[in-house]
Amino acid sequence: DSGLVFRRGTPPQATYSFKHALVQDAAYATLVRPKRQRLHARIATTIEQHLPETVQTQPELLAHHYMEAGLPEPAIDYWLKAGQAEIARSATAEAITQLTKGLELISALPDDAARWRRELELQVALGVALMAARGWAAPEVGRANTRARELCERLGDTSRLFPVLYGEWVFHVVRAELEAGRSAGEDLLRRAQEQNDAAAETIGNRIVGTAELLRGELVAARAHLERTLALYDRAAHRSLAFLFAQDPSVAGLSVLSWGLFALGYPEQARARSEQALRDATELSHRNTLGYALLYGCILSQLRQNHDEARDRANALIALAAEQDSPHFLGAGIIIRGWTLAEAGDFDAGIAQIREGLTMWQATGAGFLVPYFRSLLAEVHGRSGAVNEGLDLITEAIDRVEETGERWFEAELYRIKGELMLWLPRPDPTAAEAQFGHAAATARRQGAKLWELRAATSLARLWIEQRRRSEAHDLLGPLYGQFAEGFETLDLRAARAVLQEIIVSSEKKPIPGPSS
């Protein structure tokens, strides 16, 4: 009668609402605490007994009522379920909130194995959510993984150690702490093989292969990544994305695309990248899609496909903005900046690459920094700021020596050589040394495409110096080792140099579509 509460419908199907939230708060405050807790407990048990659909779809509702009822044990269990459900929906901000509420109640439980196990489950789930929301190398991710590892050891629980070891691996690798990452990755793979756990072995091969690729161990990386794809069972392993942040098959395909490209298989690399993007889209897991787009837009840049790189970078930026993922956003902005520079807008390109790189490193990420700096160095050089470009590429090479991230090392030396030739007073002797070092580094890694790029740059220099025979003897046999990708820019450039030598010295025709 007072108008403070409104009824809609007819009892017993009626629903009631307060006229204003302040009225609700005032009414709630009039209840003494014991009565209030009893009412919350009655609501929670009634929902459990009579509304099973609500239990499944709104675990956070039961968590709230049990928490307010002063019953931490069921409240924690429902906060965990709510957080895991939000992770499955890629709603990572909500997941972090709910899992954190569960952790805040842990101290209310007796300090025993049951409490440790509940906290372990919360910390594992929180680590996954934090990776997606804050970046793989964020300090909060490291803290969650460290605590989870402590709890695993305290419980003697090897079954939950796999996601914990994965968390340690990704934290260290993304921070470019590759030796620490190697230890965690190899530990996970060894345990998976000992326990004959196919799911964990799929993850183990994927992360060991990824770390090997970053270290420049391309052949070994390919073997591990292809083993991941062979082990992957779509029906059985689809849920792994929600426990390990990304689907292992999509991640394996994405990383393998880089390895195949560097090894000299550009068409196979493109096919793996496209498959990763298709599979990620079908999976409807946003963090997996972000991973595929990140690796995909970088592969497009490596292939010098400007339009594809721009489209994939824009898709990554849109996804990152939607789910508030600064690491994906930073990478997307860097690649978009490169495409702007390629279109001739050097100022905007430099500004965006710098902005994206700052954003990327602010998440704690250290890997890929040499590669990203090389993009900035090249753009500076092409804009006329060659000395600034040389400073950046020198920083990138120093970073490689510091971290051991060598997958792009050969390209850094080649780019340094090109910059030396762009100086107002070019230094061909120093440039030749850089090209030679780039080719030797690539050869040692088995990186045929990086070797071809270095050899093409060196051959151009030798042609200018009238050393055509040496240029042909260097570039011809290397070009002849390729069995695919003849229409890629790299092989077309090499073929054009060889054709120039043929015209001037009547060497044998060059194999390939245009010979």
Side-chain angles (χ1 to χ4, degrees), residues 23-232:
V23 176
Q24 180 177 347
D25 292 343
Y28 189 75
T30 64
L31 295 169
V32 295
R33 185 181 181 191
K35 184 176 182 179
R36 190 166 66 229
Q37 289 180 323
R38 287 195 301 272
L39 286 170
H40 278 292
R42 283 179 60 194
I43 293 167
T45 55
T46 300
I47 292 172
E48 285 182 319
Q49 293 168 5
H50 301 292
L51 299 171
E53 185 177 344
T54 302
V55 174
Q56 291 298 317
T57 60
Q58 299 183 62
E60 69 279 2
L61 181 62
L62 283 100
H64 167 74
H65 285 299
Y66 274 124
M67 181 175 69
E68 295 300 332
L71 299 171
E73 192 171 301
I76 291 168
D77 292 343
Y78 279 114
W79 283 129
L80 174 62
K81 290 178 182 177
Q84 290 170 331
E86 297 295 359
I87 289 171
R89 288 194 288 268
S90 299
T92 51
E94 293 84 350
I96 291 168
T97 297
Q98 291 160 354
L99 295 166
T100 300
K101 287 181 178 179
L103 285 168
E104 289 170 351
L105 293 174
I106 283 290
S107 61
L109 299 180
D111 191 14
D112 56 16
R115 166 177 159 173
W116 305 337
R117 189 164 297 283
R118 280 187 169 87
E119 184 184 355
L120 174 59
E121 295 295 332
L122 288 164
Q123 294 285 7
V124 168
L126 182 62
V128 172
L130 287 169
M131 276 186 256
R134 310 280 168 79
W136 300 297
E140 308 96 290
V141 173
R143 288 194 291 270
N145 288 328
T146 298
R147 179 58 179 164
R149 180 69 180 265
E150 292 171 359
L151 292 164
C152 279
E153 292 171 352
R154 187 180 297 181
L155 287 162
D157 187 340
T158 57
S159 65
R160 301 304 289 160
L161 193 56
F162 291 126
V164 174
L165 286 171
Y166 171 81
E168 285 188 10
W169 172 84
V170 74
F171 177 76
H172 288 299
V173 165
V174 172
R175 293 175 70 88
E177 298 164 356
L178 298 187
E179 284 307 308
R182 183 204 291 265
S183 176
E186 291 179 351
D187 189 9
L188 191 157
L189 181 57
R190 176 182 56 78
R191 290 172 184 268
Q193 291 169 337
E194 289 173 354
Q195 297 178 31
N196 198 27
D197 188 323
E201 193 177 345
T202 302
I203 297 293
N205 277 285
R206 177 241 147 169
I207 65 176
V208 168
T210 301
E212 286 171 336
L213 180 131
L214 293 172
R215 295 195 301 268
E217 300 164 12
L218 303 178
V219 176
R222 180 183 183 182
H224 276 112
L225 294 166
E226 289 182 341
R227 177 64 176 159
T228 294
L229 303 180
L231 286 168
Y232 184 79

Side-chain angles (χ1 to χ4, degrees), residues 225-297:
L225 294 166
E226 289 182 341
R227 177 64 176 159
T228 294
L229 303 180
L231 286 168
Y232 184 79
D233 182 316
R234 188 177 179 87
H237 298 156
R238 189 180 180 89
S239 62
L240 291 176
F242 307 109
L243 190 58
F244 294 92
Q246 296 98 28
D247 176 77
S249 175
V250 170
L253 287 164
S254 298
V255 179
L256 181 59
S257 72
W258 289 10
L260 289 169
F261 186 79
L263 287 166
Y265 303 99
E267 293 304 319
Q268 292 182 50
R270 180 181 57 81
R272 296 294 185 278
S273 179
E274 290 177 352
Q275 184 184 347
L277 286 163
R278 285 195 304 271
D279 291 352
T281 301
E282 291 175 10
L283 188 64
S284 297
H285 182 244
R286 283 188 289 182
N287 202 49
T288 294
L289 179 57
Y291 193 94
L293 283 169
L294 186 154
Y295 276 80
C297 69

Side-chain angles (χ1 to χ4, degrees), residues 358-375:
T358 298
M359 195 176 297
W360 175 261
Q361 292 180 284
T363 68
F367 92 125
L368 302 187
V369 169
Y371 161 72
F372 289 147
R373 282 183 177 159
S374 78
L375 299 183

Side-chain angles (χ1 to χ4, degrees), residues 4 11 39-40 64 103 160 181 190 213 242 267 291 295 301 307 314 330 334 340 348 379 406 414 432 442 458 479 485:
L4 295 177
L39 286 170
H40 278 292
H64 167 74
L103 285 168
R160 301 304 289 160
R190 176 182 56 78
L213 180 131
F242 307 109
E267 293 304 319
Y291 193 94
Y295 276 80
Q301 190 284 320
D307 292 342
N314 285 335
I334 290 169
L340 288 171
V379 174
R406 299 187 180 278
R414 182 191 66 81
E432 180 176 345
L458 186 53
Y479 179 90

Side-chain angles (χ1 to χ4, degrees), residues 2 115 417 427 435:
S2 67
R115 166 177 159 173
D427 189 344
F435 295 147

